[in-house]
């Protein structure tokens, strides 16, 4: 056919995935760049994230009306093209997109499933830095009952919203490259009815400003962050701020229903963060804290600088878990979902360490108890191959933690704790893989560790 005779078109067509017709005539496909892929390349989540660019910064200027459950505003996404781009995708679930510009010029846009396809007026050169501005509005729809993940994303509540997006719910409130492989800094300017509080990541930039019965909160996260950790949780909150004994700024907040737990949340978050800084290396961010809202999520999420607890009173153990994630998951982030044990196994092992530190159950005892367990799932589900439909299986947490305990026994306490600090130091604010962890463990211990990791992470049976 005609198409087959045009150089470069086969590539252009296969990458387009039928979502929209290519905007440029076929003969120009190469000189005008190629479409960016509709996924970032994670085989377990093929359409999460996108190809062809790398986001540096999200500036989100949003308004929320809880009575109408309506979110509206503008997202400005600053990115660098990693290939010559004729068009590219962002992930966005729901909403009406009112306009899109690229570097200030009107751009074409279309929607297909959770993809927003943007066609700039002119192709972008490889290496070009560009700014996409998306003006959008609508009623946010969280992701509900998708396999065993429960409800996540932007979840409207009576007085505001509980915003916790792991694994891929950032798209339920802003257009994004929604995959942990692409980290970026964030500005949040969020306007709500006066009397409500907006809680986002990082630090408040000055006092909230109220005019005409509406208050704008401006928050800024200057450290790279994965999209699922971004939050604009809002509603009526009691807030306590101050500094930890070690001198770190602390921000704790609870829904009024949990006000009697505010001091415990504040004190424990401060104490745990100070302690983990001595075990895992310097705290990576500029403040710590925690938030209890009244939405019963059935889980907590380690949102960067501000873990969220969904409708329950967290105990020390879960606070220790979520704050360990600030190093494991938030500062050092996964590159693909099958490595989730690098987050959950480490945070679960931190729970064991916290208990031992406080004279409770030792890590060795926790290991023994689980090793004797007949919970078939632990042994059938190898934690190094996280399944998309059962991502947060207990094995990823518990067998992941057991893997670290076995490693510790094999290489000794001194090397093990130096390894944890080297890991958080080498990949601070970045992304990493299981292979890199194994390589570092082998380098620092001088031992061959393939058998250990293979048995504990990849085999569907209880290691001997
Ligand atoms: N990372 C969270 C934790 O360690 C779990 C998040 C679960 N997310 C979900 N959509 N169910 O506690
Ligand atoms: Zn966790």
């Amino acid at each position: 056919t005609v198409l087959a005779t045009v150089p470069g078109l086969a590539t252009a067509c296969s990458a387009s995935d039928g979502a929209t017709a290519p905007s440029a005539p076929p003969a120009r496909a190469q000189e005008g760049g190629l479409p960016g892929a509709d996924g970032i390349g994670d085989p377990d989540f093929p359409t999460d994230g996108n190809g062809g660019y790398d986001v540096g910064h999200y500036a989100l200027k949003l308004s929320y009306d809880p009575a109408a459950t309506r979110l509206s505003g503008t997202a400005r996404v600053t990115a660098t093209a990693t290939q010559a781009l004729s068009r590219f995708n962002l992930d966005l679930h729901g909403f009406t997109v009112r306009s899109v510009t690229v570097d200030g010029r009107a751009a074409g846009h279309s929607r297909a499933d959770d993809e927003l396809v943007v066609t700039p007026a002119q192709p972008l050169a490889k290496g070009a830095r560009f700014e996409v501005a998306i003006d959008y509005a609508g009623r946010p729809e969280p992701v509900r009952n998708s396999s065993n993940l429960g409800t996540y994303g932007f979840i409207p509540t009576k007085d505001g919203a509980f915003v916790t997006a792991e694994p891929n719910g950032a798209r339920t409130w802003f257009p994004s490259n929604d995959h942990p492989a692409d980290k970026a800094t964030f500005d949040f300017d969020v306007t709500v009815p006066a009397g409500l509080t907006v809680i986002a990541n990082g630090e408040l930039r000055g006092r909230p400003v109220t005019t005409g019965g509406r208050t704008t909160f401006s928050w800024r996260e200057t450290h790279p962050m994965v999209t699922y950790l971004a939050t604009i949780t809002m509603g009526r909150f009691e807030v306590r701020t101050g500094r930890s004994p070690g001198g770190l700024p602390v921000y704790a907040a609870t829904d009024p229903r949990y006000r009697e737990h505010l001091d415990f949340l504040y004190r424990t978050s401060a104490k745990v963060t100070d302690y983990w800084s001595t075990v895992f290396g310097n705290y990576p961010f500029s403040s710590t804290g925690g938030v209890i809202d009244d939405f019963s999520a059935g889980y907590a999420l380690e949102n960067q600088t501000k873990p969220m607890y969904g409708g329950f009173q967290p105990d020390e153990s879960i606070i220790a878990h979520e704050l360990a994630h600030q190093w494991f998951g938030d500062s050092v982030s996964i590159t693909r979902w099958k490595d989730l044990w690098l987050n959950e196994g480490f945070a679960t092992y931190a729970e064991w360490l916290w208990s031992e530190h406080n004279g409770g159950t030792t890590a060795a005892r926790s290991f023994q108890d689980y090793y004797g367990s007949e919970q078939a799932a632990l042994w059938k589900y190898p934690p190094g191959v996280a399944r998309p439909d059962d991502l947060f299986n207990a094995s990823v947490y518990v067998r992941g933690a057991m893997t670290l305990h076995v490693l510790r026994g094999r290489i000794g306490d001194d090397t093990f704790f130096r390894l944890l600090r080297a890991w958080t130091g080498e990949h601070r604010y970045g992304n990493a893989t299981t292979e890199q962890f194994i390589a570092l463990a082998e380098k620092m211990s001088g031992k061959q560790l393939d058998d250990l990791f293979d048995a504990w992470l990849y085999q569907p049976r209880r290691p001997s």
Side-chain angles (χ1 to χ4, degrees):
T1 66
V2 175
L3 297 187
T5 66
V6 180
L9 187 69
T11 323
C13 284
S14 64
S16 81
D17 199 26
T20 48
S23 56
R28 291 189 50 216
Q30 258 182 344
E31 64 187 70
L34 296 171
D38 63 358
I40 205 165
D42 187 331
D44 291 319
F45 292 83
T47 60
D48 282 10
N50 305 283
Y53 64 91
D54 179 39
V55 178
H57 186 71
Y58 293 94
L60 307 176
K61 199 172 165 50
L62 301 171
S63 280
Y64 187 59
D65 176 356
T69 60
R70 184 181 155 87
L71 183 70
S72 62
T74 305
R76 291 178 182 280
V77 184
T78 311
T80 304
T82 55
Q83 64 174 69
L85 276 175
S86 58
R87 59 177 167 83
F88 59 88
N89 289 20
L90 287 156
D91 301 308
L92 183 66
H93 178 76
F95 297 105
T96 300
V97 171
R98 297 184 292 207
S99 71
V100 179
T101 63
V102 174
D103 292 331
R105 296 182 60 186
H109 55 92
S110 63
R111 306 290 301 276
D113 299 322
D114 283 359
E115 304 287 335
L116 166 63
V117 183
V118 177
T119 306
Q122 279 190 342
L124 297 159
K126 180 174 179 177
R129 229 174 99 89
F130 61 99
E131 188 197 78
V132 200
I134 302 105
D135 189 29
Y136 65 108
R139 298 186 65 174
E141 298 160 12
V143 182
R144 291 182 204 277
N145 298 324
S146 115
S147 63
N148 65 353
L149 299 172
T151 300
Y152 62 96
F154 186 106
I155 305 167
T157 58
K158 282 195 300 295
D159 58 353
F162 180 66
V163 184
T164 49
E166 193 181 19
N168 52 13
R171 67 190 62 182
T172 69
W173 66 282
F174 66 101
S176 48
N177 198 20
D178 195 9
H179 187 278
D182 190 0
K183 302 175 75 163
T185 55
F186 283 75
D187 277 318
F188 308 90
D189 289 284
V190 183
T191 303
V192 289
L196 302 188
T197 300
V198 179
I199 304 169
N201 314 85
E203 312 310 316
L204 262 178
R205 301 171 65 205
R207 299 173 70 87
V209 178
T210 302
T211 44
R214 298 180 57 78
T215 307
T216 301
F217 289 76
S218 297
W219 290 88
R220 171 170 285 178
E221 175 52 270
T222 59
H223 300 102
M225 178 163 74
V226 303
T227 52
Y228 72 74
L229 296 172
T231 189
I232 50 166
T233 289
M234 46 197 158
R236 290 172 54 225
F237 281 100
E238 311 274 328
V239 179
R240 181 174 166 192
T241 60
R243 278 183 191 268
S244 73
L248 193 63
V250 182
Y251 181 103
T254 69
D255 182 275
R257 193 174 138 199
Y258 292 92
R259 64 158 59 86
E260 68 273 27
H261 305 306
L262 178 60
D263 284 332
F264 176 81
L265 175 69
Y266 175 91
R267 276 184 287 108
T268 309
S269 302
K271 175 174 78 174
V272 167
T273 309
D274 281 352
Y275 179 62
W276 286 153
S277 304
T278 71
V279 179
F280 303 141
N282 289 339
Y283 184 66
F285 307 122
S286 39
S287 65
T288 186
V291 177
I292 310 177
D293 201 356
D294 68 347
F295 174 76
S296 297
Y299 59 84
L301 184 63
E302 61 267 22
N303 292 42
Q304 191 155 308
T305 68
K306 292 177 189 67
M308 300 278 155
Y309 304 94
F312 64 94
Q313 180 200 348
D315 59 13
E316 286 205 359
S317 181
I318 190 156
I319 293 173
H321 176 112
E322 303 310 330
L323 289 172
H325 273 308
Q326 302 304 307
W327 284 261
F328 305 105
D330 295 12
S331 173
V332 182
S333 304
I334 55 175
T335 308
R336 48 188 197 212
W337 285 104
K338 80 190 199 76
D339 290 335
L340 185 59
W341 83 280
L342 291 174
N343 297 1
E344 301 306 345
F346 285 58
T348 302
Y349 197 62
E351 291 178 46
W352 300 1
L353 293 174
W354 181 256
S355 165
E356 180 162 334
H357 170 65
N358 289 287
T361 309
T362 62
R365 179 79 249 162
S366 296
F367 176 87
Q368 282 307 332
D369 289 349
Y370 282 112
Y371 191 73
S373 159
E374 296 305 326
Q375 257 191 72
L378 269 191
W379 310 123
K380 275 200 320 235
Y381 187 133
V385 284
R387 296 177 198 146
D389 63 348
D390 192 13
L391 197 57
F392 297 98
N393 186 287
S395 169
V396 177
Y397 289 68
V398 172
R399 207 168 133 182
M402 295 175 82
T403 305
L404 289 174
H405 192 72
V406 172
L407 174 67
R408 178 181 170 185
R410 181 82 166 268
I411 68 181
D413 277 18
D414 181 60
T415 308
F416 178 75
F417 287 101
R418 281 194 300 109
L419 169 65
L420 294 187
R421 282 190 292 271
W423 180 246
T424 60
E426 280 189 14
H427 299 288
R428 197 172 173 90
Y429 309 133
N431 293 88
T433 63
T434 298
E435 287 80 359
Q436 288 173 312
F437 182 71
I438 297 173
L440 186 62
E442 291 190 335
K443 186 175 105 185
M444 290 184 66
S445 66
K447 292 192 153 74
Q448 229 297 341
L449 300 167
D450 284 343
D451 291 355
L452 184 159
F453 284 108
D454 183 59
W456 280 92
L457 294 179
Y458 300 115
Q459 297 307 320
R461 65 187 70 88
R462 177 166 25 199
S464 55

